[in-house]
Amino acid sequence: MNNWVVAPLLIPLFTAVLLIFLHNKLKLQRWISLLSSLLNVAVAIFLMVQVRTTGIQTLNMSGWAPPYGIVLVADMFAVLLVLAASIVTACCLWYSFRGIDEERERHYFYSLVHFMIAGVNGSFLTGDLFNLFVCFELMLMSSYALIVLGGTKRQFRETLHYILINVLSSTLFVASVAYLYGATGTLNLAHLSMRIAESGQTGPITVVSALLLVVFSVKAGLFLFFWLPGSYGAPPAAISALFGALLTKVGMYALIRTFTLIFYHEVQVTHMLIGTMAVATIILGGFGAVSQTNVNRILGYNVIASIGFISLALAVSNEDALKGAVFYLVHDMIVKALLFLLAGILVAETGTERINRMGGVLSHSPLLGWMFLIASLAVVGIPPLSGFPGKLLIIQGSLENGQYIVAAAGVLLTLMLLYSLIKIFILGFWGKARRPREAHWKQSRKLLLASAPLMMLIILLGVFAEPVMPYMQRAADILTDPSIYIQAVFKE
Amino acid sequence: MEVVVAVIVGVLFAVGIYLILTQDLLRIVLGTSLLTHAVHLLLMAMSMLKTGAAPLLGRGKEEFVDPLPQALILTSIVINFGITAFFLVLSYRAYQKLDTTDMDRMRSESSKHRGRRR
């Protein structure tokens, strides 16, 4: 029992409610929300140290022992993602001081962000399937409001699609919860894992797992991603950065958690399916990224392609690949947020989202150009940056298992993403300046300052990959051996 | 009794999916709400439709009803209530802004828009 486990959920929730009452005091709102997100970072670091020294932390809500009550479980995997999410949120909030117009700020922007973060952290920490659904809904509800906040025509159009898709997948989620409860009589993740290990993963349970795969794939953008590029491009940069960094990753986390902890018996069926979907996602996402000329759409397809890449690791599911998946997931959260934030500045500087109408930004804001280049190289996985270790481990893991097609898809993806991002760099930053906007420069320097911490982080994470690796190892240990997780939940 | 509920769930699912596949935004919202009803019935049916006492110990009864599915349904109803309300308001605002509730016309307008910008 450790009461700190609930803090990453409670702090944003409390802040969000507090901010509703202060919605006209902009300065106060900004500082409270930044402080609260920094507090969350501190709590996440504190939890990570605790997990490192004393093992998995659990909290039985209202003292009901598992499997009867809801249990929150902070293992290394969850805590690392909570930490990455908190850091990304803090930077995006700082960025939105300048990057979001006052009208949006006044209309509960900060409250909605904090509600969303509560949902995201809750999804990472919960140890109960239905509670996962509730946290998903909390996150999605606030994301519906965030994506439409501002109310332009384009936002309405995209939001309607986005809501419909997510309502449908949530419905299927409840249906699969119902089937699982009918089949096993429990919803606690650890208990589900035990029950299914005892009774064997029979045909019906495999079918339910496929239903859950569909649900989480829609949320993660794995293969069922047709809604993603449009809707992530609709809101302002700070909001799309949060979406691109966090929402799909929560779906990915749920996929990894359920398919390593519960449904790991019928690997030929489920993991084969995941592998096929992952390769298809990589190919479609990669081609999508290459074919687009809209900055936000290119980045949307980039998000999809890296989700495909992480799912490759899940399909392979050996120790190296999962360690790589944890590393890559943390890296991807940070770098995708950074890319969306920088693209937001780029769009503000040039006044257009089309890359063939941009040009020459490098001459009047060189810092933006070089930061964008470094971020692109990190996505691709050039060695000193943070994309490299994760990518190396995943490809190494797939080669160890003799899955050469998977490894080839991973390498192919790298080339396509490199091409799509360098295209932005060449067309956007080189050449003659089309619309010099000197007046804008002061504004964007402050925005660049807010994205700088993420930039530092991807460099540090790449250079100091060795000292970080034990944490990833700890996370991968739990993913490869479910009994550690089960024992931690049922220890008392 | 389970068979009857199963048939009802099936019919609700079919009607819900039919409504979602239509053009009109309002019908789509109603379709999603019917689907969630179907899922709630499914939840209830999956926990076996038993009759028994409320699960309170020390009342001298021996047959209890499993309270968990009902708690789940209650939670899910509240969530779906919120989402449907939001979806309806959003549809109304979208109608005001885009002047149509027809999904096809919304899309064609957007592609026209995109074509012009190219």
Side-chain angles (χ1 to χ4, degrees):
Chain A
M1 290 285 267
N2 180 350
N3 281 326
W4 284 102
V5 177
V6 79
L9 236 170
L10 274 189
I11 296 171
L13 211 54
F14 180 75
T15 316
V17 175
L18 181 71
L19 290 181
I20 290 177
F21 296 106
L22 301 172
H23 74 112
N24 267 328
K25 304 195 172 75
L26 290 187
K27 271 243 165 71
L28 197 61
Q29 271 205 65
R30 288 175 185 170
W31 286 111
I32 290 179
S33 52
L34 188 62
L35 271 181
S36 136
S37 62
L38 289 177
L39 189 64
N40 236 349
V41 174
V43 169
I45 292 175
F46 176 66
L47 265 179
M48 189 174 77
V49 172
Q50 276 193 327
V51 173
R52 168 103 170 130
T53 49
T54 58
I56 299 175
Q57 306 291 317
T58 61
L59 174 62
N60 306 334
M61 302 305 276
S62 332
W64 287 88
Y68 303 108
I70 291 170
V71 59
L72 293 185
V73 186
D75 67 336
M76 192 47 100
F77 184 31
V79 167
L80 279 173
L81 293 184
V82 168
L83 179 61
S86 311
I87 294 173
V88 165
T89 315
C91 289
C92 286
L93 282 173
W94 188 10
Y95 182 95
S96 54
F97 291 177
R98 300 274 161 192
I100 297 275
D101 48 301
E102 286 200 358
E103 198 59 29
R104 282 195 172 88
E105 282 181 305
R106 203 160 277 140
H107 285 88
Y108 309 104
F109 166 74
Y110 293 111
S111 291
L112 289 168
V113 169
H114 285 287
F115 275 126
M116 190 174 90
I117 299 311
V120 169
N121 286 346
S123 310
F124 287 147
L125 290 172
T126 185
D128 182 282
L129 197 60
F130 194 77
N131 198 229
L132 181 66
F133 164 73
V134 174
C135 291
F136 260 51
E137 287 307 307
L138 176 58
M139 170 183 98
L140 289 173
M141 243 340 227
S142 4
S143 77
Y144 301 153
L146 275 176
I147 202 170
V148 79
L149 196 65
T152 60
K153 280 189 176 181
R154 178 178 167 198
Q155 280 180 314
F156 274 117
R157 221 172 271 132
E158 298 298 344
T159 312
L160 289 173
H161 291 165
Y162 180 74
I163 294 188
L164 184 60
I165 292 292
N166 278 304
V167 168
L168 284 181
S169 82
S170 299
T171 314
L172 287 181
F173 196 171
V174 182
S176 50
V177 164
Y179 287 135
L180 262 185
Y181 186 73
T184 61
T186 180
L187 289 176
N188 183 303
L189 292 180
H191 202 211
L192 269 174
S193 171
M194 273 163 70
R195 286 260 169 103
I196 289 177
E198 281 164 14
S199 67
Q201 192 175 334
T202 51
I205 291 181
T206 309
V207 174
V208 177
S209 78
L211 194 58
L212 271 179
L213 176 63
V214 171
V215 171
F216 293 145
S217 301
V218 172
K219 316 256 176 192
L222 172 64
F223 191 60
L224 307 166
F225 58 71
F226 42 89
W227 53 271
L228 194 147
S231 43
Y232 279 21
I239 297 176
S240 15
L242 275 175
F243 280 21
L246 303 182
L247 296 193
T248 50
K249 306 306 178 293
V250 175
M252 199 61 233
Y253 166 83
L255 265 181
I256 294 181
R257 181 60 88 205
T258 46
F259 282 89
T260 55
L261 180 65
I262 305 173
F263 308 111
Y264 58 91
H265 303 283
E266 291 286 340
V267 180
Q268 327 75 292
V269 183
T270 49
H271 289 55
M272 181 69 204
L273 196 59
I274 295 174
T276 318
M277 286 166 83
V279 172
T281 312
I282 284 181
I283 293 172
L284 295 175
F287 278 121
V290 168
S291 68
Q292 295 294 328
T293 53
N294 180 319
V295 177
N296 281 326
R297 282 186 164 259
I298 293 178
L299 295 186
Y301 277 107
N302 264 289
V303 170
I304 293 165
S306 13
I307 286 294
F309 188 67
I310 301 167
S311 328
L312 283 185
L314 181 59
V316 173
S317 262
N318 60 13
E319 197 187 331
D320 273 333
L322 286 173
K323 195 162 70 173
V326 179
F327 199 109
Y328 200 81
L329 211 49
V330 172
H331 145 81
D332 202 48
M333 278 177 147
I334 299 169
V335 83
K336 286 287 142 55
L338 179 61
L339 271 181
F340 271 105
L341 294 181
L342 293 178
I345 305 175
L346 179 64
V347 170
E349 290 255 330
T350 55
T352 171
E353 287 186 10
R354 310 239 144 220
I355 48 174
N356 36 23
R357 292 198 185 170
M358 296 176 177
V361 180
L362 200 59
S363 59
H364 58 99
S365 36
L367 194 58
L368 173 65
W370 299 124
M371 277 174 80
F372 192 87
L373 184 68
I374 293 179
S376 314
L377 294 181
V379 170
V380 178
I382 303 292
L385 300 168
S386 63
F388 178 65
K391 207 159 244 185
L392 180 71
L393 281 168
I394 292 178
I395 291 177
Q396 188 186 334
S398 55
L399 289 178
E400 275 167 18
N401 272 20
Q403 287 165 317
Y404 300 110
I405 300 176
V406 167
V411 177
L412 178 73
L413 165 87
T414 306
L415 288 177
M416 292 208 278
L417 291 192
L418 180 66
Y419 177 71
S420 72
L421 291 171
I422 291 300
K423 199 168 74 177
I424 301 182
F425 184 73
I426 290 177
L427 290 176
F429 292 93
W430 286 1
K432 226 167 45 197
R434 302 217 178 161
R435 295 185 198 178
R437 291 200 168 191
E438 297 303 332
H440 240 292
W441 174 227
K442 216 169 193 176
Q443 185 96 318
S444 53
R445 191 142 58 184
K446 282 183 177 142
L447 294 178
L448 276 177
L449 193 63
S451 349
L454 296 175
M455 179 89 227
M456 299 301 287
L457 214 60
I458 57 171
I459 296 174
L460 290 179
L461 205 58
V463 174
F464 297 102
E466 203 60 42
V468 183
M469 229 18 126
Y471 292 91
M472 309 296 168
Q473 180 69 47
R474 191 65 84 83
D477 285 344
I478 297 159
L479 295 179
T480 44
D481 185 7
S483 62
I484 304 176
Y485 187 95
I486 296 170
Q487 272 165 15
V489 172
F490 286 105
K491 65 175 180 279
E492 284 157 43
Chain B
M1 195 61 197
E2 269 92 355
V3 178
V4 179
V5 177
V7 171
I8 296 174
V9 170
V11 170
L12 278 177
F13 253 103
V15 175
I17 289 171
Y18 173 77
L19 283 177
I20 286 174
L21 292 178
T22 54
Q23 306 287 331
D24 193 62
L25 197 51
L26 198 61
R27 285 178 179 224
I28 291 175
V29 179
L30 287 178
T32 59
S33 127
L34 275 185
L35 271 190
T36 55
H37 288 321
V39 162
H40 296 154
L41 273 181
L42 180 73
L43 247 177
M44 208 158 79
M46 283 313 284
S47 66
M48 302 292 150
L49 300 164
K50 288 179 295 197
T51 47
L56 297 169
L57 291 177
R59 290 288 184 88
K61 299 267 173 55
E62 286 183 356
E63 285 260 310
F64 299 118
V65 177
D66 185 1
L68 193 72
Q70 299 177 16
L72 301 187
I73 293 171
L74 205 59
T75 316
S76 182
I77 286 177
V78 173
I79 291 174
N80 282 309
F81 171 70
I83 288 176
T84 309
F86 183 76
F87 205 174
L88 277 173
V89 172
L90 190 81
S91 309
Y92 180 61
R93 286 283 293 138
Y95 168 66
Q96 284 182 325
K97 194 93 183 175
L98 305 169
D99 278 332
T100 175
T101 57
D102 188 305
M103 290 303 264
D104 256 9
R105 276 173 61 196
M106 276 181 202
R107 177 170 304 194
S108 65
E109 193 188 338
S110 90
S111 61
K112 206 166 61 193
H113 190 56
R114 211 173 284 152
R116 199 171 62 230
R117 276 207 302 199
R118 260 193 209 124

